[in-house]
Amino acid sequence: NNCNLDRITFVTADAQKFCKRILRRATRYSQLDFDIILVDPPRRGTDRNTLDLLKHFPHILYISCNPLALQSDMQELINTHEVLDFAFLDAFPSTPHLECLVHFTLR
């Protein structure tokens, strides 16, 4: 398998609860065996625990349905990461809503 798909783990969970569970199991961030994390927060954006955890990953793929919440979260993430790519996706063409997709990479 050239894509190493056996190394991919998909988790569908409340981000806040998931982050707390992950942090309880790992005594150090270096024990987290992730290179890339995908986050698709609710309209209000991410919570403090999730933002703190995200800052430790080399790559963050962030999907947002709320540009204002994304702007707020970006102000936090930009301290540790830079924006590598940014795109808009019109996933709901008959509505005024756009999805924002951001690829952050650790500085």
Side-chain angles (χ1 to χ4, degrees), residues 6-99:
D6 56 327
R7 294 193 41 176
I8 296 174
T9 301
F10 293 94
V11 176
T12 304
D14 176 273
Q16 188 171 10
K17 291 177 184 175
F18 177 74
C19 289
K20 285 181 183 177
R21 191 171 70 230
I22 288 291
L23 290 174
R24 268 191 301 238
R25 287 192 298 177
T27 57
R28 295 183 312 274
Y29 287 111
S30 62
Q31 288 181 299
L32 301 174
D33 190 23
F34 296 92
D35 294 326
I36 300 171
I37 190 163
L38 173 96
V39 63
D40 184 4
R43 285 190 94 36
R44 70 181 179 277
T46 56
D47 62 275
R48 170 60 38 208
N49 287 336
T50 303
L51 273 175
D52 289 343
L53 181 65
L54 290 176
K55 292 177 184 179
H56 297 277
F57 290 97
H59 296 275
I60 304 167
L61 303 178
Y62 190 114
I63 301 170
S64 176
C65 61
N66 182 349
L68 295 176
L70 172 60
Q71 179 185 14
S72 175
D73 289 349
M74 282 181 80
Q75 288 175 347
E76 285 286 323
L77 292 172
I78 208 71
N79 294 317
T80 55
H81 288 72
E82 61 185 340
V83 174
L84 187 64
D85 290 301
F86 193 105
F88 294 100
L89 174 66
D90 190 2
F92 309 102
S94 59
T95 71
H97 302 287
L98 288 175
E99 296 288 320

